[in-house]
Every structure is written in C-alpha cells, then in structure tokens.
C-alpha cells in the first residue's frame, strides 16, 4: 500500500529521490533545457504569478514535480505555496487549483495535437446544410457519435483526466487544424470541461457561419459558454448579424463573445428592422447608425497592462469618450488625474484609431495609436497620423481589446518615424477589456420600442410639449422622424410614401392625431422657442360641396380666422390609403409659450397632418402672423395677396374693364442688400407702413439674427389726390422711350429725414454700393435709407410704424450656425439610452408631475448637452449629488444604469434644490419641510412651492422665508390662496404692519382663514368692527391681546373669552368713573366745591352702545 503525505502526493524516501536523480543524469540535455524553466516556475509560485507559472509549464515545459522541481532549500511547489505567507488564502487556493489542473491540460493538449490535419474538414469553406442530427458527412458523424470512454464516466483523478482529454479531442476533431483548439485550451482551460457532443456541434456551426476556424476558436476561447448554444440558433442568427455589421465576421465573433444573448434572438429579421429604425432616427445615415450600435458592444473601458515600471504613460484604465469617434471607431481616454503622482507632467492620453497608417510606414493599413493629442471638436476623419504618438498597433478591429498581445510597438529611441524597425514590438504590453458592465445590445430590442424611445426623447428635449390628456384638449403623439410606411393617423390605414421635405433632417416634427376625432378640441402645446405649425388636408370634393350647401364653415375659413395662411413655398408629402392631399398648405408661426392650435376636421371627416418646426416668429400690430419668409429674387412680388373668403367675394363690387386694381410692387433687383440679407419678410401691403406710435412688426427667434429695413419714400396720398396720382403714374408708365435712369423717381432725393426713434433704439445706418430697386407701375426706385440691427439669441425686436411718408421692407440674416439635431447628438453620445425607454418615460412623467413643465424642461435640456468628466457616471448614477446638483449624474446615465427608485431619488434631489433656492440656500430647512409634507401625504409640486413661498414672502413682507418655514413647516401643505384669504380676514382689523407682525409671531394664523372668520364673527355678535379694531390695536395687555390663541378654539371657549373681555371693559369703565370723580382740579368734587352743585356723572357704557 502506497503512503501519501499530507498534500495527497505519494511519499518518497530520500533514498528513492537519490535513485531518481541518478536515473535523470542519463538525460543531461533534457535536464539542462528544463532547468531554467523549472527554476522560474518555482519563482512564479512564490510570487503568486498564476499566468507566469501556466506559461512556463505549458510553453517552456517546466517540470511540475520530481527531484529537480525543488528550490534551493529543497521545497517542492506545494511546500512553497504553504510557506508563502505573503500570499492571501484565496491566492494560495488558486495556485493549488492550478497544480491540479495543469497536468490535465498538458495531457489533453498533447492528445489534441496528436490528431492529424484534416483539410477536408476545414470550417473555413462553405459546406452543405446539416442533417437531422446536425452533421454532414459520415466521417464527422462517426467521430461525433463515438462512444465516450468508460473511464471518463468514473470519478477520481483518472476519470477527470480521461474526461478532459475526451472533450478536447472531440472538439479538435471537428477542425481542419486541431492545433487551434489545443492552443486555445492553454489560455482557457474551461474548454476541457464543456460537454463534448453539444460543443462540437456548436463549434462546427460557428466556424461555418464565420467561415473561419481561427475566429470560431477565438470566440469560444474568450467565451466558452458559446459551446452550449444550440447549433440551429447559430446557423439562424449569424448570417444576419454579419450582414448588419457590414459583412465583418471578426466583429460578429467579437459581438457574440461579449454579448452571447444575441444568439437567443428568435426572429433574426428583427435585427434588420432595428438597423433600419436606427438609421431613420439618424436621418438615414447608415454610418452613424452603425457607430451608434457599435458603442453598445465596445467596452466602456480598456485596461493597458505591461511589465512593472514600464510604459507608465500608457498603462492604466482608458475610458470611452461618449460620442467621440475617429474614422468610424470610438475613442478612449486615460485622464490626467490617473497620473497625478507625477505632478505637472500628468497629461491626458488617448487611444485613437487612424486609417492612414503610421508616419514613415510603407502601407496605409489602419492602426490604433496612443496619443496625447485629441480634440472632440476636431473632424471625425483623420487626415494623417499624429506625429507625436507614443505607441501603435497595426489593426483595423473595432476596439483595442481585440488586438493580440505583442502587437503594440513603442520607440526604442527618439525617432521621427514610426516604422516597425525603429519601433520594436513589446511582447508584454496588452490592451484588455476593463471589465465594466456594457449596456444592452440595441439589436436585441423590438424596433417599435426603439422608435418609441426616440419619440420620447424628441418630445423631452424638442421644440414643444403636449399638455396632458385630462386638460380638455387633443393630445397628439409626437413622432420624431416619420418614415416611409409610417401611419398617417393613429388607428388609421393611410401611410406615408414620401415625406418630400417634411422629415427630421428638414427640422420637422410630426404630431400624429387620431383618425377617429370628432369635433376635436384644439391642440394645446408649450413652445420652448418660436415655432411654425404646418397643416395639410386631404381633398374630398363631395364634402366640400356639402359644406357649401349647408353654409358650414370649411376648415380653410376656420384656420384663416385664427391667422393661418396658405404657403406657396412648402411642398406636400405623398400618402397612400387616403385621398390625395390638397394643394393648400396652411402655416402660422407662434411665439414661445402656450400655444393653442385649432384642428378643424377636413373633407371626409379626416383630421389634418400637423407638422411643427423651429421658425422665426413675425407678427403685425394685431398679433396675426401674416409674413412669409422667402428668398428675394428679381421680378418677384413684394406683397402677399390677401386671402378672399367666399363671403368677401360675394360682397365685393364688380370690377369693370376700365378699372384697375391696386398696384403691387415687384422687386426689380435685390442688390447687395438682398445678397447680404438673404431672407425677405413678405407680408401684406397694409403691413409695410403704419403709425409711428404703434408696433408695425414684431420679430422673435431662437437664433441670432441681423435685421435690415429698407425705407422707400412712397407717401400715402389721400383720396382727393387719387385721380391725379393715377394719371401721373399712367403718364410715367406710358413713356416707353425713356431710359431706366429717367424712369427712376426722385422721391429718394427728396425724402424727409428718417424717424428719430431709429437712432434712439440703436439702429445703425447701412450703405450698399449696389442698391435694391423695386418697380411700381413701371417706375423704379431705390431705398432712401437702410437701417440694421442685431437680435441676440432669445431676444425679440419690435419695429415701429414707418409713418405716412415711407414704405418699409424687412430683411433678415441668420447669424447662428446650423443647430445640430439635439436627439441625434444625444444618441450618438449615449447609445444605450435607446434601450431604456421605460426609464425615459418614467423620468419624464415623474419630472413633469414633481418639477413642473418649465423646470423639467430646463433640467432635461441641460442634461442632454452636459458631459460628465471622463471616467465618471459609469457606476452609481444617483450618488455624488452636491448641494446644487452640479456633481449629480446626468439623466441619460441615470436612465441607462439606474432603477425606478434611483429615478425617484434623482427627481427628489432636484425638487430639494428648487426648494432650497426658494429658502435662501438653507438645504437642511428644505429637507425638513419636504419631510413634513411627506408625513402629511400632501403632493406639492415645485410650481406650487414657488407660489406658496412667494405668497408668504409678499404677505409677511420678508425677503427670506426660511425662518418662517423652519418655525412651521406645515405651511407648505396649504395652498397659496389660503394665505391670501387669511390675510384678507385679519386686514379688516389691523393695518398692514400689525398684520405682518402677528403673522410673523404666529405663522399658523396664515393656515386658518375659516377659523379666523368664525372668531371675528363671534366677536361681531357683541362688538362692532370699529370697536374690535380699536381694542385689538391699542391694548397691550389683558384679554384682548390673547385673540390669536382663540383661533380654532371651540365656541364655548371663545364665548368665555369674549365674556372675560367684556368684564375687563366694565372694570376699566368703573376705574374711569372713579378717576373722573376725584378732588384734583377740574374733577367732579372740585367743581362741586367751587360751584356749589353736583355735576352729572356719566353712566357705564352698555353693550348696546358698544355694538352701535
């Protein structure tokens, strides 16, 4: 019977070891070749270097046991582990597990490598489909269905050795080159324990789908769980996945390695639908859509490792910069704070891809580089490789963690070129996945949900917000980017076939109405900037005739009454499944604020198509938006023809052949003014002049504008001079032989001075070398004056009337650059937000309910553009909130990584910030107030809190209400109207200063308007108002000053108090009588002594006299 030592190994006496040593001397070459590897193996054991001891055992063939596997002190590896007290218990257990696993790996790898090459079974070429059992030819079937050795079914060390050998050998047998799986098993020992039968099917299916044995083996090496996936799922999903990843098998293999749930997709066609949906949200840009999806598979961080004390500038964790890209690939950054120990030498280091190749290289192969220079504002396409890079690796993979170890090149000395000869490869430097959690893969979600999330984001940070359903208005659904095939109306059957300029890339947002509307109320919106509403209707001739017969107003008449006009500039989208859209496009601009848009039903009872976009708002003195923004061109009309309703047409007089219509003006030449200011405000003829005391035109925009006004000297003549003016115009117009110079009117030379208010309001005189020329009845004229002014972002401009001597035309020029789509920019930076539609909907609903629309919109808009510092916001999204929320995670990170409770806490923090601002920065007081509000189960929104704080501040006449709410937090549970009613009751008996003094002393009085009214009603039963007011204001002691304590008391106690006040009044009356009946001069006794008669003594005032 063999004896075993305490470690489970066979006991060997010193004599037996000496015999083994003498026997080993017969192989001096093997002893010498393995001596160094064995010595380093023992050192790796002492240091706890698991990776090192594995490589030494598998690659350098170090001896694991025996007489030569001992240290200089005679300790074998097991004793070294026990004596290495500097290692933690977990490290020691890991090394012991390696001792058990290494012999099994060596045995299995040796058996796998012993298999012959089989080019006929190579998975890198197309083969026929599977049969029922999942196999193709008889040889593979025989190999796969070979019975498992009986020893592999037993326990103990022999059974484990046999099972591992059998599993790896069967996996290697499915490949043309068994060495692939054998080498992979050295790095990933888990391959030895995966079930062989299912694993060889999955490996074969994966290799054929990728058309590469190498990629298939790398995938299962990085994620052995892929061997447990059903082969039919791989065969079904992988072709679609490769196609949506632009045909890259390597990217497909990397995707399923990091996100194996991809292979569980039931309908692979949904992946293409998702790609089309995301592309539509990106304005049809497939490249941006691919980059957006690629961010969900790219690692959030990359860790660069190297030898100790080497490559310090690049070693560390690099964090992905949200939304940053170069040549279609993400960018990672190691912030300078990670190297703060080097002081001023610390700098940001970036991992950037360049498809131009390194400087001095002979090929243009793309490469990943370490560089200290990168700017997010720079172009997304590299022109040349940065000459200041500190390292590079030639590879075109999507992320650096896919680059093989030993591929990174670093300079051996200061060289200007970056070619491989002067920049040798470092075998110890490697870039690996940082291990941080990835977001959800977008292709695994339904396309409809992704579209719904985009619509939510479009409404959250878009132009308008729709009011709630219970506000008595029509609530449309915001559609961010309508596409071909989308429904025109909710519940309808008609669809878009061509948007024709009404898509998201043109700045339009579609408001989809229900197809079953009947007598629809108006759409109520909150416009966050000036907008333009566009409506289109279908044509139905029968309904138009019916409206004319019943004298019912048509939709055109209803819209014209509220300021809509028909546009001749905008095109029309094409639809199918419904009558064709009519030629009229109704447009109107609205200022920022509340917008109420009527939606009359059109022909056939169909609702209109409603689009909205950002637009300059222009209106006249009557508030109507009657201007159209057009490009000034030669021979174009300068006025819009007034819309004529059927009633006006019937009442209008008949124009004879000899009568002439009112002459209109045309632009003969726009001149330098039209080229510089390229947009003309084309309005009605009556809007070009007006009284100087009134506002003629009001302009409001969300962008910076330059406004120029051309002043033409065309006096407004009276009716008495009409005939002479017409005759003069005809005479001038009939002079066909005169030149253009003789036709030009001399009004500009004789024009009166410009109005004084232009200079007072900051208008500047502009001069142009080539003037603008207008034509009126064949007569051409240039402007007498041109004045200009700038409008800053968010401001408005009011242009007064030009008076009777001038006619004005207004031009504008956009100075702000074209604004990017905020939703597109947000999604490119936060790609995972598309998969968080539930959290986005919850956040928006909670914020509108708790913070109010104004503050919620401000927070959402600010969070959509704010970028947290690199490396933050990845973990714990709701932590780190400062007093003003400056360090709080932005809401896009919260929606991706937070839960419902995190969202509630995040909104509560903003609510606390708002109340803290109202209380003058006393955050602890604000927290106490909200705690009391929660205890009373009172739902108080931020607008209500602001209203109540303002009411308390106004009534009490204080600048800070923090002391008031600290004394009585329950004030926040009452409505502001309660405070005003209480103040009105007390104000009947006290002046304003005394009122404020009493409320400051006892703030609870502001919460008791009914109790105050009841108290004074009881007092009025015995005393009148004047008497009560006098006593309450004059008395400083006694029962009267206790009136605040009586508020809210029961009637018996109030009556008793009033009685005590009456007794006090009688006592004071008696004292006055006695005091009046004294011996002092001028008193009753003194008068009696002097006159010899007793004067009349005044009686005690009765209650009837007091009541009046």
């Amino acid at each position: 019977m063999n004896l075993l030592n305490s470690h489970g190994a066979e006991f060997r006496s010193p004599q037996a070891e000496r015999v083994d040593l003498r026997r080993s001397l017969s192989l001096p070459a093997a002893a010498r070749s393995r001596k160094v590897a064995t010595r380093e193996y023992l050192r790796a054991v002492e240091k706890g270097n698991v990776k090192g001891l594995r490589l030494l055992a598998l690659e350098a063939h170090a001896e694991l046991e025996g007489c030569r596997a001992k240290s200089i002190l005679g300790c074998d590896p097991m004793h070294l582990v026990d004596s290495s007290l500097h290692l933690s218990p977990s490290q020691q257990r890991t090394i012991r597990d390696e001792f058990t696993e290494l012999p099994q790996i060596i045995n299995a790898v040796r058996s796998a490598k012993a298999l012959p090459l089989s080019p006929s079974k190579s998975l890198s070429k197309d083969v026929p489909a599977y049969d029922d059992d999942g196999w193709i030819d008889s040889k593979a079937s025989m190999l796969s269905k070979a019975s498992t050795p009986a020893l592999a079914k037993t326990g103990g060390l022999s059974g484990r050795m046999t099972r591992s050998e059998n599993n790896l050998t069967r996996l290697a047998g499915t490949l043309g080159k068994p060495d692939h799986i054998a080498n992979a098993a050295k790095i990933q020992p888990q391959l030895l324990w995966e079930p062989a039968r299912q694993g060889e099917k999955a490996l074969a299916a994966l290799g054929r789908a990728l058309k590469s044995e190498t990629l298939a083996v790398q995938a299962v090496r990085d994620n052995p769980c892929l061997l447990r996936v059903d082969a039919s799922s791989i065969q079904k999903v992988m072709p679609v996945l490769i196609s949506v990843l632009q045909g890259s098998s390597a990217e497909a293999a990397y995707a399923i390695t990091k996100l194996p749930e991809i292979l569980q997709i039931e309908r692979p066609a949904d992946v293409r639908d998702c790609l089309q949906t995301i592309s539509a949200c990106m304005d049809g840009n497939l490249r941006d859509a691919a980059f957006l999806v690629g961010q969900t598979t790219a690692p959030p961080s990359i860790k660069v490792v190297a030898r100790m004390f080497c490559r310090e500038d690049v070693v560390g964790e690099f964090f992905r910069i949200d939304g940053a890209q170069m040549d279609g690939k993400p960018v990672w950054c190691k912030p300078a704070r990670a190297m703060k120990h080097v002081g001023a030498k610390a700098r940001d280091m970036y991992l950037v891809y360049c498809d131009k190749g390194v400087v001095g290289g002979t090929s243009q192969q793309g490469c990943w580089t370490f560089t200290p220079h990168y700017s997010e504002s720079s172009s997304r396409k590299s022109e040349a490789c940065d000459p200041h890079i500190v390292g590079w690796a030639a590879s075109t993979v999507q992320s650096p963690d896919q680059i093989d170890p030993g591929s990174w090149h670093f300079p051996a000395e200061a060289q200007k070129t970056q070619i491989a000869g002067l920049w040798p490869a470092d075998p110890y430097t490697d870039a690996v996945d940082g291990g941080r959690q990835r977001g959800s893969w977008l292709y695994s979600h339904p396309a409809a949900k992704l579209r719904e999330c985009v619509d939510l984001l479009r409404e959250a940070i878009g132009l308008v917000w729709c009011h709630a359903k219970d506000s008595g208005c029509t609530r449309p659904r915001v559609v961010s980017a309508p596409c071909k095939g989308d429904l025109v109306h909710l519940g309808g059957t008609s669809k878009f076939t061509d948007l024709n300029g009404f898509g998201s890339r043109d700045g339009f947002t579609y408001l989809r109405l229900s197809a079953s509307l009947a007598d629809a109320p108006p759409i109520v919106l909150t416009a966050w900037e000036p907008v333009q509403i566009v409506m289109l209707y279908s044509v139905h001739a029968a309904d138009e005739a019916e409206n004319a017969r019943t004298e019912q107003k048509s939709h055109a008449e209803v819209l014209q009454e509220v300021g809509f006009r028909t546009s001749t500039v905008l095109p029309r989208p094409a639809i199918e499944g419904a009558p064709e859209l009519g030629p009229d496009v109704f447009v109107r601009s609205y200022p920022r604020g509340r917008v109420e848009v009527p939606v009359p039903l059109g022909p056939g009872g169909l609702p209109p198509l409603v689009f909205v976009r950002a637009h300059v708002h222009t209106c006249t003195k009557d508030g109507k938006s009657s201007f159209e923004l057009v490009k000034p061109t030669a021979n174009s009309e300068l006025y819009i023809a007034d819309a004529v309703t059927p009633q006006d047409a019937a009442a209008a007089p008949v124009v004879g052949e000899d009568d002439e219509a009112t002459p209109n003006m045309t632009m003969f030449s726009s001149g330098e003014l039209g080229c510089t200011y390229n947009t003309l405000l084309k309005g009605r003829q009556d809007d070009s002049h007006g009284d100087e005391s009134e506002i003629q035109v009001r302009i409001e925009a969300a962008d910076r504008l330059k406004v120029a006004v051309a002043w033409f000297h065309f006096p407004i003549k009276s009716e008495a001079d009409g005939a002479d003016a017409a005759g003069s115009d005809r005479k001038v117009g009939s002079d066909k032989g005169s030149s253009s110079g003789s036709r030009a009117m001399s009004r500009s030379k004789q024009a009166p001075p410009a109005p004084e208010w232009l200079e007072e309001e900051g208008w500047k005189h502009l001069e142009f070398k080539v003037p603008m020329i207008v034509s009126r009845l064949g007569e051409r004229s240039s402007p007498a004056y041109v004045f200009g002014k700038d409008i800053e972002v968010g401001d408005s401009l009011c242009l007064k009337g030009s008076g009777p001597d001038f006619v004005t035309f207004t031009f504008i020029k956009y100075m702000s650059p074209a604004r990017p789509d905020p939703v597109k920019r947000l999604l490119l930076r936060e790609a995972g937000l598309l998969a968080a539609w539930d959290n986005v909907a919850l956040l928006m609903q909670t914020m509108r309910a708790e913070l109010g629309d104004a503050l919620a919109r401000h927070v959402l808009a600010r969070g959509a553009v704010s970028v947290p510092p690199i490396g933050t916001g990845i973990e714990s999204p709701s932590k780190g909130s400062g007093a003003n929320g400056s360090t709080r995670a932005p809401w896009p990170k919260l929606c991706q990584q937070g839960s419902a409770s995190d969202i509630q806490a995040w909104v509560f923090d903003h609510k606390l910030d708002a109340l803290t601002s109202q209380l003058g920065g006393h955050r602890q007081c604000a927290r106490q107030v909200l705690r009391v509000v929660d205890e009373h189960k009172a739902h108080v929104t931020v607008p209500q809190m602001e209203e109540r704080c303002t009411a308390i501040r106004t009534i009490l006449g204080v600048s800070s209400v923090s002391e008031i709410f600290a004394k009585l937090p329950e004030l926040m549970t009452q409505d502001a109207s309660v405070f005003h009613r209480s103040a009105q009751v007390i104000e009947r008996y006290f002046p304003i200063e005394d009122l404020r003094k009493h409320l400051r002393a006892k703030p609870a009085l502001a919460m008791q308007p009914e109790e105050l009214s009841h108290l004074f009603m009881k007092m009025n039963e015995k005393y009148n108002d004047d008497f009560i007011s006098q006593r309450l204001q004059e008395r400083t002691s006694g029962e009267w000053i206790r009136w605040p304590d009586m508020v809210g008391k029961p009637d018996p106690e109030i009556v008793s108090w009033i009685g005590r006040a009456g007794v006090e009044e009688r006592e004071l009356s008696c004292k006055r009588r006695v005091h009046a009946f004294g011996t002092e001069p001028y008193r009753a006794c003194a008068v009696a002594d002097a006159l010899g008669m007793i004067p009349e003594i005044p009686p005690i005032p009765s209650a009837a006299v007091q009541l009046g």
Side-chain angles (χ1 to χ4, degrees), residues 508-530:
F508 282 101
T509 300
Y510 182 54
L511 304 181
R512 182 181 293 165
L513 300 176
S514 176
S516 59
L517 289 178
D519 298 330
I523 300 175
V524 180
L525 309 171
T526 300
W528 304 112
E529 57 184 87

Coordinates of all heavy atoms in Angstrom, one line a residue, residues 508-530:
F508 N -38.5 69.1 -39.2 CA -39.9 68.9 -38.8 C -40.1 67.8 -37.8 O -39.3 66.8 -37.8 CB -40.7 68.6 -40.1 CG -41.0 69.8 -41.0 CD1 -40.2 70.1 -42.1 CD2 -42.0 70.7 -40.6 CE1 -40.5 71.2 -42.9 CE2 -42.3 71.8 -41.4 CZ -41.5 72.0 -42.6
T509 N -41.0 68.0 -37.0 CA -41.5 67.0 -36.0 C -43.0 66.8 -36.3 O -43.7 67.8 -36.5 CB -41.3 67.4 -34.6 OG1 -39.9 67.6 -34.3 CG2 -41.9 66.4 -33.6
Y510 N -43.4 65.6 -36.4 CA -44.8 65.3 -36.8 C -45.6 65.0 -35.6 O -45.2 64.3 -34.6 CB -44.8 64.0 -37.7 CG -46.2 63.7 -38.2 CD1 -47.0 64.6 -38.9 CD2 -46.8 62.4 -38.0 CE1 -48.3 64.3 -39.3 CE2 -48.0 62.0 -38.5 CZ -48.8 63.0 -39.1 OH -50.0 62.7 -39.6
L511 N -46.8 65.6 -35.5 CA -47.8 65.4 -34.4 C -48.9 64.6 -35.0 O -49.8 65.0 -35.7 CB -48.3 66.8 -33.9 CG -47.3 67.8 -33.5 CD1 -48.0 69.1 -33.0 CD2 -46.4 67.2 -32.4
R512 N -48.9 63.3 -34.6 CA -49.8 62.3 -35.2 C -51.2 62.4 -34.4 O -51.2 62.1 -33.2 CB -49.2 60.9 -35.2 CG -50.1 59.9 -35.8 CD -49.5 58.5 -35.7 NE -48.3 58.4 -36.5 CZ -47.4 57.5 -36.4 NH1 -47.5 56.6 -35.5 NH2 -46.3 57.5 -37.2
L513 N -52.2 62.7 -35.1 CA -53.6 62.7 -34.5 C -54.3 61.4 -34.7 O -53.9 60.6 -35.5 CB -54.4 63.9 -35.1 CG -53.8 65.3 -34.9 CD1 -54.7 66.3 -35.6 CD2 -53.7 65.7 -33.5
S514 N -55.3 61.2 -33.9 CA -56.2 60.0 -34.0 C -57.1 60.2 -35.2 O -57.6 61.2 -35.5 CB -57.0 59.8 -32.8 OG -57.8 58.7 -32.9
A515 N -57.2 59.1 -35.9 CA -58.1 59.1 -37.1 C -59.6 59.2 -36.8 O -60.4 59.5 -37.6 CB -57.8 57.9 -38.0
S516 N -59.9 58.9 -35.5 CA -61.3 58.9 -35.1 C -61.8 60.1 -34.4 O -62.6 60.1 -33.5 CB -61.6 57.7 -34.2 OG -60.8 57.7 -33.1
L517 N -61.1 61.3 -34.7 CA -61.5 62.5 -34.0 C -62.9 63.0 -34.5 O -63.2 62.9 -35.7 CB -60.5 63.6 -34.2 CG -59.1 63.4 -33.5 CD1 -58.2 64.5 -33.9 CD2 -59.3 63.4 -32.0
A518 N -63.7 63.5 -33.6 CA -64.9 64.1 -34.0 C -65.1 65.4 -33.2 O -65.1 65.4 -31.9 CB -66.1 63.2 -33.7
D519 N -65.2 66.5 -33.9 CA -65.3 67.8 -33.2 C -64.1 68.0 -32.2 O -64.3 68.2 -31.0 CB -66.6 68.0 -32.5 CG -67.8 68.0 -33.5 OD1 -67.6 68.4 -34.6 OD2 -68.9 67.6 -33.1
A520 N -62.9 67.8 -32.8 CA -61.8 67.8 -31.9 C -61.5 69.1 -31.3 O -61.6 70.2 -32.0 CB -60.6 67.4 -32.8
P521 N -61.2 69.1 -30.0 CA -60.8 70.4 -29.4 C -59.4 70.7 -29.9 O -58.7 69.9 -30.5 CB -60.8 70.0 -27.9 CG -60.6 68.5 -27.8 CD -61.3 68.0 -29.1
P522 N -58.9 71.9 -29.6 CA -57.6 72.4 -30.1 C -56.5 71.6 -29.4 O -56.6 71.0 -28.4 CB -57.6 73.9 -29.7 CG -58.5 74.0 -28.6 CD -59.6 73.0 -28.8
I523 N -55.3 71.6 -30.1 CA -54.1 71.1 -29.6 C -53.5 72.1 -28.7 O -53.3 73.3 -29.2 CB -53.1 70.6 -30.7 CG1 -53.7 69.6 -31.6 CG2 -51.8 70.2 -30.1 CD1 -52.9 69.2 -32.8
V524 N -53.2 71.8 -27.5 CA -52.5 72.8 -26.5 C -51.1 72.3 -26.4 O -50.8 71.2 -25.9 CB -53.3 72.8 -25.2 CG1 -52.6 73.8 -24.3 CG2 -54.7 73.2 -25.4
L525 N -50.2 73.2 -26.7 CA -48.7 72.9 -26.7 C -48.1 74.0 -25.8 O -48.6 75.1 -25.7 CB -48.1 72.9 -28.1 CG -48.8 72.0 -29.1 CD1 -48.1 72.2 -30.5 CD2 -48.6 70.5 -28.7
T526 N -46.9 73.6 -25.3 CA -46.0 74.6 -24.7 C -44.8 74.7 -25.7 O -44.0 73.7 -25.8 CB -45.6 74.2 -23.3 OG1 -46.7 74.1 -22.5 CG2 -44.6 75.2 -22.7
A527 N -44.6 75.8 -26.3 CA -43.5 76.0 -27.3 C -42.3 76.6 -26.5 O -42.5 77.7 -25.9 CB -43.9 76.9 -28.4
W528 N -41.2 75.9 -26.6 CA -40.0 76.4 -25.8 C -39.2 77.4 -26.7 O -38.2 78.0 -26.1 CB -39.1 75.2 -25.5 CG -39.9 74.2 -24.6 CD1 -40.2 72.9 -25.0 CD2 -40.4 74.4 -23.3 NE1 -40.9 72.3 -24.0 CE2 -41.0 73.2 -23.0 CE3 -40.4 75.4 -22.4 CZ2 -41.7 73.0 -21.7 CZ3 -41.0 75.3 -21.2 CH2 -41.6 74.1 -20.8
E529 N -39.5 77.6 -27.9 CA -39.0 78.6 -28.8 C -39.9 78.9 -29.9 O -40.9 78.1 -30.1 CB -37.6 78.1 -29.3 CG -37.6 76.8 -30.1 CD -36.3 76.4 -30.5 OE1 -35.6 75.7 -29.8 OE2 -35.9 76.8 -31.7
P530 N -39.8 79.9 -30.6 CA -40.7 80.2 -31.7 C -40.8 79.1 -32.7 O -39.8 78.5 -33.1 CB -40.2 81.5 -32.3 CG -39.4 82.1 -31.3 CD -38.8 81.0 -30.4

